[in-house]
Amino acid sequence: MTATTQDHAHHEAEPTGLKRWLVTTNHKDIGSMYLLFSLAMFLVGGAMALVIRAELFQPGLQVVDPYFFNQMTTMHALVMIFGAVMPAFTGLANWMIPLMVGAPDMALPRMNNWSFWLLPFGFAILLSTLFMPGGGPAGGWTMYPPLMLQTGTAFPFVIFAIHVLGISSIMGSINVIATILNMRAPGMTLMKMPLFVWTWLITAYLMIAVMPVLAGAITMLLTDQYFGTTFFSAAGGGDPVLYQHIFWFFGHPEVYILILPAFGIISTIIPTFARKPLFGYSSMVYATASIAFLSFIVWAHHMFTVGMPVAGVLFFMYATMLIAVPTGVKVFNWVATMWRGAMTFETPMLFALAFVFLFTIGGFSGLMLAIAPADFQYHDTYFVVAHFHYVLVTGAVFAILAAAYYWLPKWTGHMYNERLGQWHFWLSVIFVNVLFFPQHFLGLAGMPRRIPDYSVQFADWNMISSIGGFGFGFAQLIFVYLLWQCIRGGQKAEARAWEGAEGLEWEVPSPAPHHTFDTPPVIR
């Protein structure tokens, strides 16, 4: 008895101030740090995007020199993928998975702290490369040789930074899997888990499978540069296309790592505001697993123009089209959930609806890119840029924003300002389309990606796109202000902040206490 009491007393005496954040093993603190770090990186990556759009506002070279422009396109992608979207989903996983499965904390709390603190150091190294002799990486986020091997002093630092970020992701994933498989409340079978938990379980397996592949590819680049190997150099019997195969074997599952947790978020929000249970729960689980499996066998659709044998092209073309089936199942289920529901349109629901509509547009343009002969026209044009930004901005980022609005009352104990939330939504959704929709036309007209200057025939749409970019960028400042306001105070939130909300996280008070579920709830 005494041992337990002492243990509990020790548990309560948590450090305060800076030390609390440095040494914390509490899943809520770590989740908050991930989310704030992700917001900071979102703003840094966004500033880089604005440099790109400022340069492309008119033809001719206006703002930055071409080499710096290429550093911006490369760093923008690396910061947004590894610094904004992935840490945001990891932060949501840290905060919500233990609450959703009725666990007191993550399974491996110390590793959790370590996996977060690797991130700021990894990004400090990555961003510092911009100030090194020769500048930062400028070979695109894909880092294709031989172009990437022309990076100056920064080269080994970029490789090391990406290794650090990869280690952080793998540790976070191991933690998620251990938590979900071992720490669910009694009675919560796998098929009773919330879909957000399911999508994260599958995402975590994807990450563990593909992060080492990226590590291998960039290590081979490193040895080519400094140790005399010739993996990717034709002069020594290697092949630069080999790098593309290895990179995309990581890169294609990676895009699903960036979107599957978003599917989980949308599958949580739509039933709440439609006040109906999710239509086809088990089909959603199987669809997510199918997408994850298929993501491993479609990588070379990024490489239709490298000169693969026809049999290879056909295989990758049909396999890619197959992914449309489970994705279509998901979209159908979301729409069926809303059908004849008693819907209300608070900010989280608005972002979820925009997600369903705009993500589907991104999916359709992806199907166009899957058609190999057509892809010869689309490849490396702005059409591809439009496609993946519809998937990653109106997909992943909108889902993260929806989640933030949905769970803010649970995190802070205050309701956010609904009017500001609606302003943020409408400005975002209008400007994001002004920003990315014209890029489809530019791509179809033949404008290549990653160029700082372009033919005058592309001027009008680029100007419109840039106006959309600045509008979208500044609309996000409303979100930052709203967040600050909500953390500081506001209307007190109920334990169940939303009328139709289901799930264990709504059984604990708002804000969620520092320690929850000391005795696990029983699921009936």
Side-chain angles (χ1 to χ4, degrees):
M1 178 63 195
T2 28
T4 342
T5 327
Q6 280 174 340
D7 188 43
H8 199 69
H10 157 77
H11 222 35
E12 291 309 305
E14 56 218 28
T16 50
L18 185 63
K19 193 177 176 199
R20 168 181 167 183
W21 299 101
L22 284 172
V23 302
T24 181
T25 52
N26 182 285
H27 74 98
K28 301 180 183 78
D29 286 353
I30 294 172
S32 300
M33 291 196 298
Y34 265 113
L35 289 165
L36 290 169
F37 174 80
S38 142
L39 180 64
M41 287 295 113
F42 181 56
L43 298 173
V44 169
M48 293 172 173
L50 294 187
V51 171
I52 296 169
R53 284 316 324 166
E55 179 55 67
L56 294 173
F57 186 69
Q58 287 182 305
L61 296 174
Q62 344 275 330
V63 187
V64 292
D65 72 278
Y67 188 72
F68 185 73
F69 180 88
N70 288 347
Q71 291 174 53
M72 286 292 98
T73 55
T74 305
M75 292 293 266
H76 162 70
L78 291 171
V79 167
M80 284 303 202
I81 291 168
F82 295 110
V85 176
M86 286 169 74
F89 283 138
T90 312
L92 291 169
N94 263 297
W95 242 106
M96 301 316 302
I97 287 175
L99 287 179
M100 287 176 151
V101 301
D105 206 311
M106 294 295 272
L108 307 158
R110 289 190 179 175
M111 188 162 93
N112 205 9
N113 173 292
W114 180 220
S115 65
F116 171 75
W117 281 109
L118 284 174
L119 284 178
F121 292 99
F123 274 95
I125 296 166
L126 185 63
L127 294 171
S128 71
T129 60
L130 291 169
F131 305 100
M132 293 179 183
W141 85 280
T142 55
M143 300 175 281
Y144 282 178
L147 184 59
M148 186 63 185
L149 301 177
Q150 294 168 21
T151 311
T153 321
F155 182 76
F157 292 91
V158 175
I159 302 295
F160 182 63
I162 291 170
H163 273 301
V164 170
L165 306 178
I167 292 166
S168 163
S169 295
I170 290 172
M171 295 202 313
S173 302
I174 290 170
N175 211 343
V176 165
I177 292 171
T179 306
I180 295 172
L181 295 185
N182 298 319
M183 299 185 67
R184 299 194 305 284
M188 180 171 283
T189 58
L190 286 176
M191 290 311 269
K192 280 186 190 163
M193 294 195 310
L195 255 166
F196 179 69
V197 179
W198 256 118
T199 52
W200 242 110
L201 179 64
I202 291 167
T203 302
Y205 276 112
L206 278 181
M207 263 201 241
I208 290 172
V210 300
M211 280 303 179
V213 178
L214 175 66
I218 59 177
T219 305
M220 289 156 87
L221 279 180
L222 195 73
T223 61
D224 271 12
Q225 185 76 316
Y226 296 110
F227 297 102
T229 59
T230 52
F231 291 115
F232 309 129
S233 161
D239 183 357
V241 174
L242 171 66
Y243 175 85
Q244 297 190 24
H245 278 291
I246 302 170
F247 179 85
W248 285 115
F249 190 80
F250 146 79
H252 200 79
E254 169 66 19
V255 297
Y256 289 98
I257 289 167
L258 297 172
I259 201 69
L260 289 181
F263 290 166
I265 290 164
I266 301 306
S267 305
T268 306
I269 292 176
I270 286 179
T272 298
F273 294 98
R275 290 165 181 75
K276 276 176 66 187
L278 182 73
F279 180 89
Y281 170 91
S282 53
S283 64
M284 286 296 238
V285 173
Y286 295 129
T288 311
S290 318
I291 289 172
F293 169 73
L294 289 169
S295 74
F296 282 102
I297 58 168
V298 297
W299 76 88
H301 67 206
H302 297 267
M303 303 167 48
F304 281 148
T305 58
V306 301
M308 282 188 292
V310 173
V313 169
L314 283 173
F315 168 78
F316 286 109
M317 179 166 103
Y318 292 131
T320 305
M321 289 179 176
L322 208 54
I323 290 194
V325 179
T327 313
V329 168
K330 287 184 164 299
V331 175
F332 175 82
N333 286 7
W334 291 324
V335 174
T337 304
M338 293 186 276
W339 176 250
R340 305 185 78 168
M343 285 210 287
T344 52
F345 300 98
E346 287 87 348
T347 313
M349 184 60 161
L350 289 175
F351 273 106
L353 287 169
F355 172 97
V356 173
F357 185 73
L358 297 171
F359 170 78
T360 305
I361 291 177
F364 279 131
S365 58
L367 270 177
M368 292 170 69
L369 289 159
I371 301 165
D375 185 71
F376 273 71
Q377 293 297 320
Y378 308 138
H379 186 77
D380 263 344
T381 69
Y382 258 80
F383 188 84
V384 180
V385 179
H387 154 70
F388 71 72
H389 281 93
Y390 264 87
V391 174
L392 290 179
V393 180
T394 62
V397 173
F398 272 27
I400 290 163
L401 291 170
Y405 282 109
Y406 184 65
W407 283 310
L408 258 179
K410 185 54 64 190
W411 300 337
T412 62
H414 304 124
M415 286 307 284
Y416 62 87
N417 181 329
E418 182 64 41
R419 169 174 265 187
L420 274 183
Q422 303 257 346
W423 267 103
H424 174 222
F425 168 75
W426 284 109
L427 288 171
S428 294
V429 86
I430 290 164
F431 281 121
V432 84
N433 284 293
V434 174
L435 166 56
F436 294 121
F437 207 80
Q439 295 180 4
H440 292 104
F441 309 144
L442 289 166
L444 293 174
M447 179 174 164
R449 293 167 69 169
R450 300 190 182 121
I451 51 165
D453 185 16
Y454 52 85
S455 155
V456 71
Q457 67 184 9
F458 304 130
D460 295 352
W461 286 122
N462 266 301
M463 183 178 280
I464 290 170
S465 187
S466 288
I467 291 167
F470 278 87
F472 182 71
F474 289 112
Q476 304 321 304
L477 298 178
I478 299 176
F479 177 66
V480 176
Y481 173 71
L482 175 145
L483 213 55
W484 179 72
Q485 203 187 38
C486 186
I487 291 167
R488 281 186 63 223
Q491 180 198 336
K492 283 271 175 253
E494 304 286 315
R496 190 177 301 275
W498 309 106
E499 192 194 318
E502 294 289 331
L504 288 178
E505 74 264 37
W506 303 108
E507 305 296 323
V508 300
S510 301
H514 199 65
H515 294 291
T516 39
F517 300 126
D518 286 334
T519 49
V522 178
I523 313 294
R524 291 200 169 74

